[in-house]
mmCIF file of all heavy atoms in Angstrom:
data_model
loop_
_atom_site.group_PDB
_atom_site.id
_atom_site.type_symbol
_atom_site.label_atom_id
_atom_site.label_comp_id
_atom_site.label_asym_id
_atom_site.label_seq_id
_atom_site.Cartn_x
_atom_site.Cartn_y
_atom_site.Cartn_z
ATOM 1 N N MET A 778 118.129 108.182 94.387
ATOM 2 C CA MET A 778 117.841 107.103 95.304
ATOM 3 C C MET A 778 116.568 106.383 94.846
ATOM 4 O O MET A 778 115.571 107.010 94.524
ATOM 5 C CB MET A 778 117.642 107.675 96.710
ATOM 6 C CG MET A 778 117.463 106.639 97.753
ATOM 7 S SD MET A 778 117.874 107.336 99.352
ATOM 8 C CE MET A 778 116.474 106.869 100.286
ATOM 9 N N THR A 779 116.617 105.074 94.828
ATOM 10 C CA THR A 779 115.471 104.280 94.384
ATOM 11 C C THR A 779 114.382 104.281 95.447
ATOM 12 O O THR A 779 114.651 104.073 96.618
ATOM 13 C CB THR A 779 115.896 102.827 94.105
ATOM 14 O OG1 THR A 779 116.950 102.834 93.142
ATOM 15 C CG2 THR A 779 114.737 102.014 93.580
ATOM 16 N N LYS A 780 113.157 104.527 95.014
ATOM 17 C CA LYS A 780 112.001 104.394 95.904
ATOM 18 C C LYS A 780 111.323 103.078 95.566
ATOM 19 O O LYS A 780 111.227 102.697 94.409
ATOM 20 C CB LYS A 780 111.045 105.568 95.721
ATOM 21 C CG LYS A 780 111.674 106.864 96.164
ATOM 22 C CD LYS A 780 110.677 107.981 96.207
ATOM 23 C CE LYS A 780 111.396 109.227 96.688
ATOM 24 N NZ LYS A 780 110.499 110.260 97.085
ATOM 25 N N TRP A 781 110.854 102.386 96.601
ATOM 26 C CA TRP A 781 110.289 101.048 96.437
ATOM 27 C C TRP A 781 108.824 101.025 96.818
ATOM 28 O O TRP A 781 108.382 101.783 97.661
ATOM 29 C CB TRP A 781 111.041 100.056 97.332
ATOM 30 C CG TRP A 781 112.488 99.951 97.028
ATOM 31 C CD1 TRP A 781 113.496 100.640 97.641
ATOM 32 C CD2 TRP A 781 113.111 99.139 96.041
ATOM 33 N NE1 TRP A 781 114.699 100.289 97.098
ATOM 34 C CE2 TRP A 781 114.500 99.366 96.114
ATOM 35 C CE3 TRP A 781 112.631 98.230 95.107
ATOM 36 C CZ2 TRP A 781 115.408 98.717 95.283
ATOM 37 C CZ3 TRP A 781 113.547 97.585 94.282
ATOM 38 C CH2 TRP A 781 114.916 97.834 94.375
ATOM 39 N N GLU A 782 108.096 100.124 96.193
ATOM 40 C CA GLU A 782 106.752 99.789 96.658
ATOM 41 C C GLU A 782 106.788 98.337 97.093
ATOM 42 O O GLU A 782 107.586 97.543 96.591
ATOM 43 C CB GLU A 782 105.691 100.041 95.593
ATOM 44 C CG GLU A 782 105.844 99.262 94.315
ATOM 45 C CD GLU A 782 104.743 99.599 93.316
ATOM 46 O OE1 GLU A 782 103.598 99.862 93.731
ATOM 47 O OE2 GLU A 782 105.037 99.586 92.108
ATOM 48 N N TYR A 783 105.959 98.000 98.062
ATOM 49 C CA TYR A 783 105.979 96.670 98.679
ATOM 50 C C TYR A 783 104.593 96.043 98.644
ATOM 51 O O TYR A 783 103.587 96.742 98.600
ATOM 52 C CB TYR A 783 106.438 96.769 100.141
ATOM 53 C CG TYR A 783 107.820 97.339 100.280
ATOM 54 C CD1 TYR A 783 108.021 98.704 100.414
ATOM 55 C CD2 TYR A 783 108.942 96.513 100.272
ATOM 56 C CE1 TYR A 783 109.296 99.238 100.536
ATOM 57 C CE2 TYR A 783 110.219 97.031 100.396
ATOM 58 C CZ TYR A 783 110.388 98.397 100.529
ATOM 59 O OH TYR A 783 111.641 98.926 100.642
ATOM 60 N N VAL A 784 104.577 94.711 98.698
ATOM 61 C CA VAL A 784 103.317 93.980 98.755
ATOM 62 C C VAL A 784 103.537 92.703 99.560
ATOM 63 O O VAL A 784 104.636 92.148 99.570
ATOM 64 C CB VAL A 784 102.786 93.673 97.329
ATOM 65 C CG1 VAL A 784 103.683 92.711 96.597
ATOM 66 C CG2 VAL A 784 101.375 93.149 97.362
ATOM 67 N N THR A 785 102.504 92.284 100.284
ATOM 68 C CA THR A 785 102.527 90.984 100.946
ATOM 69 C C THR A 785 101.564 90.072 100.195
ATOM 70 O O THR A 785 100.473 90.497 99.803
ATOM 71 C CB THR A 785 102.117 91.065 102.427
ATOM 72 O OG1 THR A 785 100.851 91.693 102.528
ATOM 73 C CG2 THR A 785 103.131 91.857 103.226
ATOM 74 N N VAL A 786 101.994 88.826 99.994
ATOM 75 C CA VAL A 786 101.232 87.893 99.172
ATOM 76 C C VAL A 786 101.096 86.563 99.913
ATOM 77 O O VAL A 786 102.108 85.990 100.327
ATOM 78 C CB VAL A 786 101.958 87.645 97.826
ATOM 79 C CG1 VAL A 786 101.191 86.646 96.976
ATOM 80 C CG2 VAL A 786 102.166 88.945 97.085
ATOM 81 N N PRO A 787 99.867 86.048 100.083
ATOM 82 C CA PRO A 787 99.729 84.715 100.661
ATOM 83 C C PRO A 787 100.197 83.655 99.658
ATOM 84 O O PRO A 787 99.889 83.746 98.473
ATOM 85 C CB PRO A 787 98.234 84.588 100.942
ATOM 86 C CG PRO A 787 97.577 85.589 100.057
ATOM 87 C CD PRO A 787 98.580 86.663 99.783
ATOM 88 N N LEU A 788 100.972 82.696 100.135
ATOM 89 C CA LEU A 788 101.466 81.608 99.282
ATOM 90 C C LEU A 788 100.869 80.291 99.747
ATOM 91 O O LEU A 788 100.971 79.952 100.920
ATOM 92 C CB LEU A 788 102.993 81.506 99.378
ATOM 93 C CG LEU A 788 103.817 82.688 98.907
ATOM 94 C CD1 LEU A 788 105.288 82.434 99.187
ATOM 95 C CD2 LEU A 788 103.588 82.942 97.433
ATOM 96 N N LEU A 789 100.278 79.569 98.840
ATOM 97 C CA LEU A 789 99.816 78.217 99.150
ATOM 98 C C LEU A 789 100.964 77.258 98.873
ATOM 99 O O LEU A 789 101.626 77.350 97.832
ATOM 100 C CB LEU A 789 98.606 77.866 98.291
ATOM 101 C CG LEU A 789 97.397 78.793 98.471
ATOM 102 C CD1 LEU A 789 96.311 78.430 97.481
ATOM 103 C CD2 LEU A 789 96.883 78.721 99.890
ATOM 104 N N VAL A 790 101.225 76.351 99.790
ATOM 105 C CA VAL A 790 102.380 75.459 99.699
ATOM 106 C C VAL A 790 102.406 74.696 98.373
ATOM 107 O O VAL A 790 103.457 74.537 97.765
ATOM 108 C CB VAL A 790 102.405 74.501 100.907
ATOM 109 C CG1 VAL A 790 103.506 73.473 100.757
ATOM 110 C CG2 VAL A 790 102.593 75.270 102.196
ATOM 111 N N HIS A 791 101.251 74.269 97.884
ATOM 112 C CA HIS A 791 101.219 73.472 96.650
ATOM 113 C C HIS A 791 101.357 74.312 95.375
ATOM 114 O O HIS A 791 101.467 73.762 94.289
ATOM 115 C CB HIS A 791 99.935 72.636 96.599
ATOM 116 C CG HIS A 791 98.690 73.457 96.532
ATOM 117 N ND1 HIS A 791 98.082 73.974 97.647
ATOM 118 C CD2 HIS A 791 97.961 73.876 95.476
ATOM 119 C CE1 HIS A 791 97.014 74.669 97.277
ATOM 120 N NE2 HIS A 791 96.928 74.621 95.972
ATOM 121 N N ALA A 792 101.354 75.656 95.488
ATOM 122 C CA ALA A 792 101.436 76.502 94.294
ATOM 123 C C ALA A 792 102.445 77.641 94.451
ATOM 124 O O ALA A 792 102.361 78.647 93.761
ATOM 125 C CB ALA A 792 100.045 77.085 93.989
ATOM 126 N N THR A 793 103.431 77.457 95.334
ATOM 127 C CA THR A 793 104.383 78.536 95.634
ATOM 128 C C THR A 793 105.112 79.029 94.393
ATOM 129 O O THR A 793 105.169 80.231 94.137
ATOM 130 C CB THR A 793 105.406 78.060 96.685
ATOM 131 O OG1 THR A 793 104.689 77.655 97.848
ATOM 132 C CG2 THR A 793 106.362 79.149 97.059
ATOM 133 N N LYS A 794 105.677 78.128 93.607
ATOM 134 C CA LYS A 794 106.452 78.537 92.430
ATOM 135 C C LYS A 794 105.591 79.301 91.431
ATOM 136 O O LYS A 794 106.002 80.337 90.918
ATOM 137 C CB LYS A 794 107.093 77.328 91.756
ATOM 138 C CG LYS A 794 107.953 77.715 90.557
ATOM 139 C CD LYS A 794 108.507 76.513 89.844
ATOM 140 C CE LYS A 794 109.386 76.843 88.667
ATOM 141 N NZ LYS A 794 108.971 77.913 87.801
ATOM 142 N N GLN A 795 104.413 78.805 91.162
ATOM 143 C CA GLN A 795 103.532 79.471 90.194
ATOM 144 C C GLN A 795 103.172 80.877 90.660
ATOM 145 O O GLN A 795 103.187 81.821 89.870
ATOM 146 C CB GLN A 795 102.269 78.638 90.000
ATOM 147 C CG GLN A 795 101.309 79.249 89.008
ATOM 148 C CD GLN A 795 100.023 78.439 88.877
ATOM 149 O OE1 GLN A 795 99.851 77.426 89.536
ATOM 150 N NE2 GLN A 795 99.129 78.900 88.034
ATOM 151 N N ILE A 796 102.856 81.026 91.933
ATOM 152 C CA ILE A 796 102.491 82.342 92.469
ATOM 153 C C ILE A 796 103.667 83.300 92.365
ATOM 154 O O ILE A 796 103.525 84.435 91.897
ATOM 155 C CB ILE A 796 101.994 82.211 93.929
ATOM 156 C CG1 ILE A 796 100.692 81.417 93.974
ATOM 157 C CG2 ILE A 796 101.823 83.580 94.567
ATOM 158 C CD1 ILE A 796 100.279 80.952 95.365
ATOM 159 N N LEU A 797 104.862 82.851 92.792
ATOM 160 C CA LEU A 797 106.043 83.717 92.740
ATOM 161 C C LEU A 797 106.434 84.041 91.303
ATOM 162 O O LEU A 797 106.833 85.177 91.007
ATOM 163 C CB LEU A 797 107.205 83.078 93.494
ATOM 164 C CG LEU A 797 107.028 82.987 95.003
ATOM 165 C CD1 LEU A 797 108.195 82.229 95.615
ATOM 166 C CD2 LEU A 797 106.887 84.358 95.645
ATOM 167 N N ASP A 798 106.318 83.083 90.394
ATOM 168 C CA ASP A 798 106.613 83.345 88.977
ATOM 169 C C ASP A 798 105.686 84.420 88.415
ATOM 170 O O ASP A 798 106.123 85.290 87.651
ATOM 171 C CB ASP A 798 106.492 82.071 88.142
ATOM 172 C CG ASP A 798 107.678 81.135 88.307
ATOM 173 O OD1 ASP A 798 108.703 81.535 88.891
ATOM 174 O OD2 ASP A 798 107.564 79.971 87.853
ATOM 175 N N ASN A 799 104.408 84.366 88.767
ATOM 176 C CA ASN A 799 103.452 85.370 88.282
ATOM 177 C C ASN A 799 103.813 86.765 88.765
ATOM 178 O O ASN A 799 103.788 87.730 87.993
ATOM 179 C CB ASN A 799 102.028 85.020 88.719
ATOM 180 C CG ASN A 799 101.454 83.856 87.935
ATOM 181 O OD1 ASN A 799 101.916 83.530 86.852
ATOM 182 N ND2 ASN A 799 100.451 83.211 88.498
ATOM 183 N N TRP A 800 104.137 86.897 90.049
ATOM 184 C CA TRP A 800 104.524 88.207 90.592
ATOM 185 C C TRP A 800 105.856 88.661 89.997
ATOM 186 O O TRP A 800 106.039 89.837 89.690
ATOM 187 C CB TRP A 800 104.578 88.162 92.111
ATOM 188 C CG TRP A 800 103.212 88.201 92.726
ATOM 189 C CD1 TRP A 800 102.415 87.131 93.021
ATOM 190 C CD2 TRP A 800 102.468 89.357 93.096
ATOM 191 N NE1 TRP A 800 101.226 87.565 93.552
ATOM 192 C CE2 TRP A 800 101.234 88.922 93.608
ATOM 193 C CE3 TRP A 800 102.727 90.725 93.047
ATOM 194 C CZ2 TRP A 800 100.259 89.801 94.072
ATOM 195 C CZ3 TRP A 800 101.766 91.605 93.504
ATOM 196 C CH2 TRP A 800 100.541 91.143 93.998
ATOM 197 N N GLY A 801 106.811 87.724 89.832
ATOM 198 C CA GLY A 801 108.100 88.066 89.243
ATOM 199 C C GLY A 801 107.966 88.574 87.820
ATOM 200 O O GLY A 801 108.679 89.487 87.403
ATOM 201 N N ALA A 802 107.045 88.013 87.067
ATOM 202 C CA ALA A 802 106.812 88.462 85.689
ATOM 203 C C ALA A 802 106.317 89.906 85.647
ATOM 204 O O ALA A 802 106.493 90.600 84.648
ATOM 205 C CB ALA A 802 105.806 87.543 84.998
ATOM 206 N N ASP A 803 105.725 90.369 86.747
ATOM 207 C CA ASP A 803 105.258 91.755 86.831
ATOM 208 C C ASP A 803 106.309 92.680 87.451
ATOM 209 O O ASP A 803 106.011 93.823 87.800
ATOM 210 C CB ASP A 803 103.968 91.836 87.659
ATOM 211 C CG ASP A 803 102.774 91.295 86.897
ATOM 212 O OD1 ASP A 803 102.808 91.263 85.651
ATOM 213 O OD2 ASP A 803 101.787 90.906 87.559
ATOM 214 N N GLY A 804 107.535 92.160 87.641
ATOM 215 C CA GLY A 804 108.618 93.001 88.124
ATOM 216 C C GLY A 804 108.845 92.990 89.627
ATOM 217 O O GLY A 804 109.667 93.736 90.134
ATOM 218 N N TRP A 805 108.131 92.126 90.349
ATOM 219 C CA TRP A 805 108.286 92.055 91.803
ATOM 220 C C TRP A 805 109.444 91.144 92.170
ATOM 221 O O TRP A 805 109.624 90.092 91.569
ATOM 222 C CB TRP A 805 107.000 91.547 92.454
ATOM 223 C CG TRP A 805 105.883 92.526 92.352
ATOM 224 C CD1 TRP A 805 104.913 92.549 91.394
ATOM 225 C CD2 TRP A 805 105.608 93.632 93.213
ATOM 226 N NE1 TRP A 805 104.053 93.598 91.610
ATOM 227 C CE2 TRP A 805 104.463 94.284 92.732
ATOM 228 C CE3 TRP A 805 106.231 94.135 94.357
ATOM 229 C CZ2 TRP A 805 103.930 95.409 93.339
ATOM 230 C CZ3 TRP A 805 105.691 95.257 94.966
ATOM 231 C CH2 TRP A 805 104.556 95.881 94.452
ATOM 232 N N GLU A 806 110.227 91.554 93.172
ATOM 233 C CA GLU A 806 111.360 90.788 93.673
ATOM 234 C C GLU A 806 111.046 90.274 95.072
ATOM 235 O O GLU A 806 110.598 91.036 95.931
ATOM 236 C CB GLU A 806 112.587 91.700 93.726
ATOM 237 C CG GLU A 806 113.828 91.045 94.272
ATOM 238 C CD GLU A 806 115.001 92.018 94.353
ATOM 239 O OE1 GLU A 806 114.983 93.065 93.687
ATOM 240 O OE2 GLU A 806 115.936 91.710 95.110
ATOM 241 N N LEU A 807 111.291 88.986 95.281
ATOM 242 C CA LEU A 807 111.036 88.385 96.584
ATOM 243 C C LEU A 807 112.046 88.891 97.602
ATOM 244 O O LEU A 807 113.247 88.869 97.362
ATOM 245 C CB LEU A 807 111.113 86.861 96.481
ATOM 246 C CG LEU A 807 110.884 86.071 97.765
ATOM 247 C CD1 LEU A 807 109.452 86.275 98.281
ATOM 248 C CD2 LEU A 807 111.160 84.592 97.530
ATOM 249 N N VAL A 808 111.543 89.337 98.761
ATOM 250 C CA VAL A 808 112.399 89.812 99.843
ATOM 251 C C VAL A 808 112.489 88.762 100.940
ATOM 252 O O VAL A 808 113.569 88.435 101.421
ATOM 253 C CB VAL A 808 111.869 91.150 100.424
ATOM 254 C CG1 VAL A 808 112.693 91.587 101.613
ATOM 255 C CG2 VAL A 808 111.825 92.219 99.348
ATOM 256 N N GLN A 809 111.339 88.213 101.335
ATOM 257 C CA GLN A 809 111.315 87.259 102.444
ATOM 258 C C GLN A 809 110.031 86.437 102.402
ATOM 259 O O GLN A 809 108.998 86.902 101.934
ATOM 260 C CB GLN A 809 111.379 88.030 103.770
ATOM 261 C CG GLN A 809 111.452 87.156 104.999
ATOM 262 C CD GLN A 809 111.627 87.971 106.272
ATOM 263 O OE1 GLN A 809 111.453 89.181 106.285
ATOM 264 N NE2 GLN A 809 111.974 87.301 107.337
ATOM 265 N N VAL A 810 110.119 85.215 102.927
ATOM 266 C CA VAL A 810 108.944 84.359 103.117
ATOM 267 C C VAL A 810 108.880 84.003 104.597
ATOM 268 O O VAL A 810 109.881 83.606 105.189
ATOM 269 C CB VAL A 810 109.021 83.076 102.266
ATOM 270 C CG1 VAL A 810 107.851 82.154 102.563
ATOM 271 C CG2 VAL A 810 109.057 83.421 100.779
ATOM 272 N N VAL A 811 107.706 84.183 105.201
ATOM 273 C CA VAL A 811 107.513 83.877 106.625
ATOM 274 C C VAL A 811 106.308 82.955 106.778
ATOM 275 O O VAL A 811 105.451 82.887 105.895
ATOM 276 C CB VAL A 811 107.310 85.168 107.463
ATOM 277 C CG1 VAL A 811 108.543 86.055 107.385
ATOM 278 C CG2 VAL A 811 106.090 85.931 107.009
ATOM 279 N N PRO A 812 106.226 82.236 107.894
ATOM 280 C CA PRO A 812 105.066 81.364 108.123
ATOM 281 C C PRO A 812 103.770 82.165 108.152
ATOM 282 O O PRO A 812 103.731 83.300 108.648
ATOM 283 C CB PRO A 812 105.343 80.745 109.488
ATOM 284 C CG PRO A 812 106.812 80.890 109.689
ATOM 285 C CD PRO A 812 107.206 82.144 108.963
ATOM 286 N N GLY A 813 102.715 81.564 107.617
ATOM 287 C CA GLY A 813 101.408 82.194 107.613
ATOM 288 C C GLY A 813 100.578 81.770 108.809
ATOM 289 O O GLY A 813 101.093 81.161 109.752
ATOM 290 N N PRO A 814 99.282 82.065 108.757
ATOM 291 C CA PRO A 814 98.398 81.770 109.881
ATOM 292 C C PRO A 814 98.119 80.283 110.097
ATOM 293 O O PRO A 814 97.637 79.899 111.149
ATOM 294 C CB PRO A 814 97.115 82.519 109.548
ATOM 295 C CG PRO A 814 97.163 82.737 108.075
ATOM 296 C CD PRO A 814 98.606 82.783 107.690
ATOM 297 N N ASN A 815 98.411 79.452 109.090
ATOM 298 C CA ASN A 815 98.224 78.006 109.266
ATOM 299 C C ASN A 815 99.334 77.266 108.523
ATOM 300 O O ASN A 815 100.041 77.860 107.718
ATOM 301 C CB ASN A 815 96.828 77.575 108.782
ATOM 302 C CG ASN A 815 96.630 77.823 107.310
ATOM 303 O OD1 ASN A 815 97.395 77.312 106.483
ATOM 304 N ND2 ASN A 815 95.628 78.606 106.952
ATOM 305 N N PRO A 816 99.509 75.972 108.776
ATOM 306 C CA PRO A 816 100.632 75.227 108.189
ATOM 307 C C PRO A 816 100.606 75.119 106.660
ATOM 308 O O PRO A 816 101.630 74.867 106.054
ATOM 309 C CB PRO A 816 100.506 73.828 108.802
ATOM 310 C CG PRO A 816 99.606 73.972 109.972
ATOM 311 C CD PRO A 816 98.738 75.161 109.715
ATOM 312 N N GLU A 817 99.460 75.315 106.053
ATOM 313 C CA GLU A 817 99.354 75.213 104.599
ATOM 314 C C GLU A 817 99.632 76.535 103.899
ATOM 315 O O GLU A 817 99.502 76.623 102.687
ATOM 316 C CB GLU A 817 97.947 74.722 104.215
ATOM 317 C CG GLU A 817 97.693 73.279 104.574
ATOM 318 C CD GLU A 817 98.592 72.325 103.799
ATOM 319 O OE1 GLU A 817 98.691 72.463 102.573
ATOM 320 O OE2 GLU A 817 99.213 71.457 104.437
ATOM 321 N N GLN A 818 99.966 77.571 104.633
ATOM 322 C CA GLN A 818 100.115 78.888 104.024
ATOM 323 C C GLN A 818 101.380 79.577 104.499
ATOM 324 O O GLN A 818 101.768 79.487 105.666
ATOM 325 C CB GLN A 818 98.901 79.752 104.364
ATOM 326 C CG GLN A 818 98.793 81.001 103.522
ATOM 327 C CD GLN A 818 97.475 81.707 103.745
ATOM 328 O OE1 GLN A 818 96.943 81.690 104.841
ATOM 329 N NE2 GLN A 818 96.963 82.348 102.729
ATOM 330 N N LEU A 819 102.039 80.264 103.570
ATOM 331 C CA LEU A 819 103.181 81.118 103.854
ATOM 332 C C LEU A 819 102.829 82.521 103.392
ATOM 333 O O LEU A 819 101.872 82.715 102.635
ATOM 334 C CB LEU A 819 104.414 80.630 103.080
ATOM 335 C CG LEU A 819 104.874 79.207 103.363
ATOM 336 C CD1 LEU A 819 105.901 78.765 102.326
ATOM 337 C CD2 LEU A 819 105.444 79.106 104.763
ATOM 338 N N VAL A 820 103.578 83.509 103.843
ATOM 339 C CA VAL A 820 103.368 84.883 103.402
ATOM 340 C C VAL A 820 104.673 85.385 102.797
ATOM 341 O O VAL A 820 105.734 85.286 103.416
ATOM 342 C CB VAL A 820 102.934 85.793 104.568
ATOM 343 C CG1 VAL A 820 102.791 87.243 104.096
ATOM 344 C CG2 VAL A 820 101.627 85.299 105.175
ATOM 345 N N ALA A 821 104.597 85.901 101.586
ATOM 346 C CA ALA A 821 105.768 86.433 100.893
ATOM 347 C C ALA A 821 105.731 87.953 100.929
ATOM 348 O O ALA A 821 104.674 88.565 100.758
ATOM 349 C CB ALA A 821 105.783 85.962 99.442
ATOM 350 N N TYR A 822 106.891 88.552 101.162
ATOM 351 C CA TYR A 822 107.064 90.001 101.064
ATOM 352 C C TYR A 822 107.852 90.268 99.795
ATOM 353 O O TYR A 822 108.914 89.683 99.583
ATOM 354 C CB TYR A 822 107.825 90.533 102.275
ATOM 355 C CG TYR A 822 107.011 90.515 103.543
ATOM 356 C CD1 TYR A 822 106.858 89.349 104.287
ATOM 357 C CD2 TYR A 822 106.365 91.666 103.987
ATOM 358 C CE1 TYR A 822 106.100 89.321 105.440
ATOM 359 C CE2 TYR A 822 105.602 91.645 105.159
ATOM 360 C CZ TYR A 822 105.475 90.477 105.881
ATOM 361 O OH TYR A 822 104.722 90.444 107.011
ATOM 362 N N LEU A 823 107.317 91.139 98.931
ATOM 363 C CA LEU A 823 107.953 91.456 97.664
ATOM 364 C C LEU A 823 108.108 92.957 97.518
ATOM 365 O O LEU A 823 107.380 93.722 98.153
ATOM 366 C CB LEU A 823 107.123 90.908 96.501
ATOM 367 C CG LEU A 823 106.904 89.405 96.496
ATOM 368 C CD1 LEU A 823 105.506 89.079 96.969
ATOM 369 C CD2 LEU A 823 107.125 88.827 95.131
ATOM 370 N N LYS A 824 109.072 93.357 96.648
ATOM 371 C CA LYS A 824 109.266 94.779 96.369
ATOM 372 C C LYS A 824 109.588 94.965 94.899
ATOM 373 O O LYS A 824 110.005 94.020 94.208
ATOM 374 C CB LYS A 824 110.405 95.343 97.223
ATOM 375 C CG LYS A 824 111.793 94.858 96.814
ATOM 376 C CD LYS A 824 112.873 95.517 97.629
ATOM 377 C CE LYS A 824 114.252 95.091 97.121
ATOM 378 N NZ LYS A 824 115.326 95.737 97.850
ATOM 379 N N ARG A 825 109.365 96.187 94.422
ATOM 380 C CA ARG A 825 109.805 96.577 93.078
ATOM 381 C C ARG A 825 110.004 98.083 93.064
ATOM 382 O O ARG A 825 109.401 98.807 93.884
ATOM 383 C CB ARG A 825 108.820 96.134 92.003
ATOM 384 C CG ARG A 825 107.503 96.884 91.989
ATOM 385 C CD ARG A 825 106.642 96.401 90.834
ATOM 386 N NE ARG A 825 105.337 97.033 90.897
ATOM 387 C CZ ARG A 825 104.316 96.706 90.122
ATOM 388 N NH1 ARG A 825 104.440 95.736 89.244
ATOM 389 N NH2 ARG A 825 103.154 97.320 90.228
ATOM 390 N N PRO A 826 110.834 98.575 92.168
ATOM 391 C CA PRO A 826 111.035 100.025 92.097
ATOM 392 C C PRO A 826 109.722 100.724 91.767
ATOM 393 O O PRO A 826 108.945 100.236 90.938
ATOM 394 C CB PRO A 826 112.038 100.206 90.955
ATOM 395 C CG PRO A 826 112.713 98.876 90.817
ATOM 396 C CD PRO A 826 111.677 97.860 91.227
ATOM 397 N N LYS A 827 109.479 101.819 92.458
ATOM 398 C CA LYS A 827 108.272 102.608 92.215
ATOM 399 C C LYS A 827 108.397 103.330 90.890
ATOM 400 O O LYS A 827 109.436 103.914 90.599
ATOM 401 C CB LYS A 827 108.112 103.617 93.346
ATOM 402 C CG LYS A 827 106.713 103.818 93.796
ATOM 403 C CD LYS A 827 106.673 104.716 95.002
ATOM 404 C CE LYS A 827 105.311 104.588 95.621
ATOM 405 N NZ LYS A 827 105.184 105.361 96.821
ATOM 406 N N SER A 828 107.353 103.268 90.076
ATOM 407 C CA SER A 828 107.406 103.991 88.794
ATOM 408 C C SER A 828 107.151 105.482 89.048
ATOM 409 O O SER A 828 106.429 105.856 89.952
ATOM 410 C CB SER A 828 106.394 103.410 87.824
ATOM 411 O OG SER A 828 105.163 103.153 88.457
ATOM 412 N N ALA A 829 107.773 106.285 88.226
ATOM 413 C CA ALA A 829 107.703 107.752 88.417
ATOM 414 C C ALA A 829 106.335 108.317 88.162
ATOM 415 O O ALA A 829 105.490 107.806 87.556
ATOM 416 C CB ALA A 829 108.701 108.425 87.479
#
């Protein structure tokens, strides 16, 4: 059974793709994006398989 590690990442609206691309390059998979504390910010939830 796969074990996962998770992270929450603040996303700035003007740099969303760059931020997600950087995390994706490190093996993180986007699970969900939800509104952040203000209109200029979103919060991304990401996961990746836990290394042994």
Side-chain angles (χ1 to χ4, degrees):
M778 185 158 130
T779 303
K780 294 190 179 195
W781 300 94
E782 60 181 326
Y783 300 90
V784 66
T785 55
V786 179
L788 297 176
L789 300 175
V790 174
H791 64 276
T793 302
K794 182 184 181 319
Q795 180 183 0
I796 294 167
L797 292 175
D798 283 349
N799 286 340
W800 283 89
D803 286 337
W805 291 95
E806 178 182 341
L807 179 64
V808 176
Q809 184 175 13
V810 175
V811 298
N815 63 58
E817 290 295 312
Q818 194 171 34
L819 301 168
V820 177
Y822 288 81
L823 300 103
K824 71 176 184 178
R825 71 177 175 188
K827 219 174 195 177
S828 43

